[in-house]
Amino acid sequence: MNKLGRVTLGALGVAVSLGFAHAWLNLGFDPLAKLGLRKEVEERSRYRVGFLPVT
């Protein structure tokens, strides 16, 4: 794999991981509940504090 391919793959990995973290922290996506490792909680707080700044 050449250098451009590795850079592209790394950038794609960073984008996917940031999107996943955003969905988990801000949109209420719980990966453990989707995998069946934790019971889903019906009522969650609607206001979530995330790590991505909104300007």
Side-chain angles (χ1 to χ4, degrees):
M1 181 180 281
N2 60 11
K3 190 173 184 177
L4 181 61
R6 284 185 287 181
V7 169
T8 304
L9 189 60
L12 183 63
V14 167
V16 167
S17 62
L18 278 177
F20 179 74
H22 171 68
W24 188 3
L25 294 174
N26 294 322
L27 302 177
F29 174 71
D30 190 3
L32 294 177
K34 296 295 181 191
L35 292 174
L37 300 174
R38 182 187 311 168
K39 291 183 180 180
E40 292 212 26
V41 177
E42 294 295 327
E43 187 61 33
R44 296 230 179 192
S45 65
R46 297 204 180 242
Y47 180 74
R48 295 184 173 272
V49 177
F51 67 95
L52 297 175
V54 178
T55 56

